[in-house]
């Protein structure tokens, strides 16, 4: 099952109704006169940052960031960074309320799928010259772009790979992880037939966030969510149907089940009931905590096998500067400092958040880890959905149709058509 931590779910979550309310109340870019609208930054000064900076960050990142920004304050005497931790479940509404009230901080950590909405409301300052955008993983950098304009930077990333039990794979006669779709299915089947698993692989049979389970296979087959200009959905194509057909086949062939209790992926992995699943880096710690020292050496990971490409989902959080900031130069200097490879490596040691800057993955704390380099390799080709305003509504419709396909036998062709129809009805919001 492609599982998500609470953090992961909320990174990709959003309160569409709040956005709609904002739009209806006229609180957005369209209401600003050219004279009153804050001007975008075009460059970052070379002198040290000065003045006070206010920052919002969610979850444990909000709790840990002040420990890191002490170094920034030391390097920029006279600068004071005040970080306000915000609970994830209240974050989106707090941001949208602050956009309405024009009471935003100077900079903030934001969910990747909020970018289109916040940019559309005119709240974000475009990324100025002076930020080395070539240093980031390409898929992560794409999450900062709205209509080809970059806003902020990727701060930390995560992606999904295939977890497997090494000991049961050996029992099943698998000595080398598969690299293509046929190999993945053969390995999962062998886990059932030779290693005693109830199901060879744990895949999400619909429900919230299941689009993240399916899209890697659709991307692998060559599908895209939208046209190149993001104005039209392209969810009913032969490539999308191929990805859906492959995903459904695990259920129709009883290699994956629809009857496994949800949110027990770690236990099902440790028991051997379902010794393979697809998920992010946080699951290694969860499995080790549950299975103890006995399970640790038997945790293996490999990149998603390919059809045309090996393409996983990239998530994480971005760091942005708000257009209304009174200290944008200082805020962008903070963002630039947070994007430095050494700072990113230091942040990983402090938070375990995976760096968005590729150079930071050379740090021994990551490079010498037995599992993390596989995630780093997968990040090189990982993708995210386009930053469109209505994506969360479309994602919910996608999840509903995936569930019909996995549990009720709706055909891949019918599923693709239904997703496309619903998405087109919702619109991109642009």
């Amino acid at each position: 099952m492609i599982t998500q931590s609470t953090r992961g779910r909320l990174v990709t979550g959003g309160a569409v109704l709040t956005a709609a309310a904002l739009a209806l109340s006229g609180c957005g870019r369209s209401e600003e006169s050219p004279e009153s609208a804050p001007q975008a930054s075009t460059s970052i000064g070379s002198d040290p940052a000065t003045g006070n900076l206010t920052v919002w960050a969610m979850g444990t990142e909000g709790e840990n960031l002040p420990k890191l920004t002490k170094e920034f304050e030391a390097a920029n005497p006279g600068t004071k960074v005040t970080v306000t931790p915000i609970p994830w479940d209240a974050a989106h509404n707090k941001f949208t309320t602050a956009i309405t009230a024009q009471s935003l901080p100077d900079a903030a950590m934001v969910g990747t799928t909020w970018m289109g909405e916040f940019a559309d409301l005119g709240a974000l300052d475009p990324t100025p010259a002076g930020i080395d955008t070539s240093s980031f993983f390409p898929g992560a950098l794409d999450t900062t772009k709205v209509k080809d304009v970059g806003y902020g930077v990727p701060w930390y990333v995560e992606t999904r790979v295939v977890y497997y039990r090494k000991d049961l794979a050996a029992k099943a006669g698998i000595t080398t992880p598969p690299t293509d779709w046929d190999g993945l299915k053969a390995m999962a089947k062998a886990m059932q037939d030779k290693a005693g698993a109830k199901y060879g692989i744990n895949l999400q049979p619909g429900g919230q966030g299941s689009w993240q389970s399916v899209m890697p296979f659709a991307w692998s087959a060559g599908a895209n969510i939208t046209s190149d200009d993001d104005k039209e959905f392209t969810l009913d194509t032969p490539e999308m149907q191929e990805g859906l057909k492959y995903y459904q086949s695990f259920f129709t062939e009883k290699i994956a089940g629809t009857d496994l209790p949800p949110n027990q992926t770690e236990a099902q992995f440790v028991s051997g009931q379902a010794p393979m699943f697809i998920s992010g880096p946080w699951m290694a710690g969860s499995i080790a905590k549950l299975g103890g020292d006995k399970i640790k050496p038997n945790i293996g990971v490999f990149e998603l096998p390919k059809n045309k490409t090996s393409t996983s989902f990239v998530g994480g959080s971005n760091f942005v500067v708000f257009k209304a900031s009174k200290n944008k130069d200082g805020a962008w200097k903070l963002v630039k400092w947070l994007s430095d490879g050494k700072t990113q490596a230091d942040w990983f040691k402090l938070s375990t958040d995976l760096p968005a800057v590729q150079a930071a993955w050379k740090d021994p704390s990551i490079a010498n880890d037995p599992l993390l380099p596989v995630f780093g390799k997968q990040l090189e080709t990982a993708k995210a959905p386009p930053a469109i305003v209505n994506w969360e509504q479309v994602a919910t419709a996608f999840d509903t149709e995936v569930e019909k396909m996995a549990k009720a036998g709706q055909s891949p062709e019918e599923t693709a058509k239904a997703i496309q129809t619903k998405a087109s009805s919702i619109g991109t919001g642009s």
Side-chain angles (χ1 to χ4, degrees):
M1 178 179 293
I2 293 184
T3 59
Q4 302 174 73
S5 65
T6 300
R7 179 180 66 190
R9 281 196 301 273
L10 292 168
V11 163
T12 57
V16 176
L17 290 176
T18 306
L22 278 166
L24 289 171
S25 65
C27 297
R29 181 168 46 200
S30 60
E31 293 297 306
E32 296 171 340
S33 67
E35 293 76 15
S36 63
Q39 298 303 303
S41 302
T42 57
S43 63
I44 304 174
S46 58
D47 51 331
T50 58
N52 295 326
L53 290 170
T54 53
V55 174
W56 290 356
M58 285 75 83
T60 55
E61 283 75 16
E63 297 168 5
N64 287 324
L65 187 55
K67 303 171 188 172
L68 189 70
T69 55
K70 289 184 182 302
E71 297 178 31
F72 181 77
E73 292 174 336
N76 297 272
T79 298
K80 174 65 177 176
V81 181
T82 303
V83 180
T84 301
I86 302 172
W88 263 112
D89 56 2
H92 186 274
N93 283 346
K94 186 172 179 65
F95 275 114
T96 51
T97 299
I99 292 172
T100 306
Q102 299 185 30
S103 58
L104 289 160
D106 295 298
M109 159 190 176
V110 300
T112 56
T113 57
W114 301 346
M115 298 296 289
E117 176 187 355
F118 291 178
D120 189 65
L121 291 169
L124 305 181
D125 200 43
T127 308
I131 298 289
D132 180 14
T133 55
S134 66
S135 66
F136 300 104
F137 287 105
L141 182 64
D142 284 345
T143 67
T144 68
K145 296 178 180 176
V146 182
K147 299 176 183 175
D148 291 330
V149 177
Y151 297 96
V153 299
W155 185 27
Y156 68 80
V157 293
E158 58 91 355
T159 191
R160 319 296 164 82
V161 300
V162 183
Y163 281 77
Y164 73 104
R165 281 274 300 266
K166 288 182 176 179
D167 54 338
L168 296 185
K171 191 174 181 180
I174 305 295
T175 56
T176 303
T179 59
D180 60 23
W181 281 12
D182 288 344
L184 177 63
K185 185 172 286 186
M187 180 176 181
K189 189 74 168 59
M191 287 290 203
Q192 281 182 299
D193 296 343
K194 300 178 182 178
K198 179 178 181 180
Y199 293 112
I201 187 168
N202 203 343
L203 295 174
Q204 187 172 351
Q208 183 181 14
S210 54
W211 67 268
Q212 296 177 29
S213 310
V214 175
M215 276 312 301
F217 295 110
W219 281 323
S220 178
N224 289 301
I225 292 174
T226 61
S227 56
D228 289 343
D229 60 6
D230 292 338
K231 292 184 178 178
E232 296 181 355
F233 289 103
T234 56
L235 294 160
D236 185 15
T237 62
E239 292 82 6
M240 178 64 71
Q241 293 174 15
E242 186 175 7
L244 292 169
K245 183 178 181 180
Y246 180 69
Y247 195 80
Q248 186 191 45
S249 70
F250 284 91
F251 297 99
T252 57
E253 296 174 28
K254 308 299 182 186
I255 301 172
T258 59
D259 58 344
L260 288 172
N263 304 318
Q264 296 183 26
T265 304
E266 297 96 323
Q268 292 152 0
F269 182 84
V270 171
S271 70
Q273 186 180 25
M276 297 172 66
F277 64 91
I278 302 171
S279 190
W282 58 85
M283 288 298 279
S286 298
I287 294 168
K289 184 177 181 180
L290 181 66
D293 292 338
K294 186 178 179 181
I295 197 70
K296 288 181 182 177
N298 287 317
I299 303 173
V301 294
F302 59 89
E303 292 177 65
L304 285 178
K306 66 179 182 181
N307 180 326
K308 294 182 176 68
T309 62
S310 168
T311 308
S312 190
F313 166 80
V314 59
S317 279
N318 296 337
F319 215 95
V320 302
V321 172
F322 291 103
K323 192 179 288 183
S325 166
K326 303 299 183 186
N327 189 4
K328 283 194 283 191
D329 185 68
W332 278 115
K333 285 171 179 169
L334 174 63
V335 171
K336 184 176 181 179
W337 180 78
L338 290 171
S339 304
D340 177 79
K342 181 182 180 304
T343 308
Q344 288 255 306
D346 290 345
W347 178 240
F348 167 74
K349 295 167 191 171
L350 190 62
S351 67
T352 70
D353 288 339
L354 297 180
V357 173
Q358 298 186 56
W361 285 72
K362 296 178 181 177
D363 189 274
S365 62
I366 300 174
N368 295 337
D369 185 275
L371 304 179
L372 289 180
V374 175
F375 289 91
K377 186 66 177 174
Q378 187 74 74
L379 279 164
E380 294 176 4
T381 56
K383 299 178 68 171
I388 55 177
V389 176
N390 292 340
W391 172 248
E392 291 298 334
Q393 290 173 276
V394 174
T396 298
F398 198 124
D399 293 343
T400 299
E401 297 306 320
V402 168
E403 186 157 330
K404 292 178 184 176
M405 182 183 75
K407 293 184 175 180
Q410 176 172 271
S411 74
E413 293 78 11
E414 292 170 332
T415 302
K417 183 177 181 180
I419 297 171
Q420 174 70 18
T421 299
K422 289 184 176 181
S424 298
S425 176
I426 294 167
T428 63
S430 60

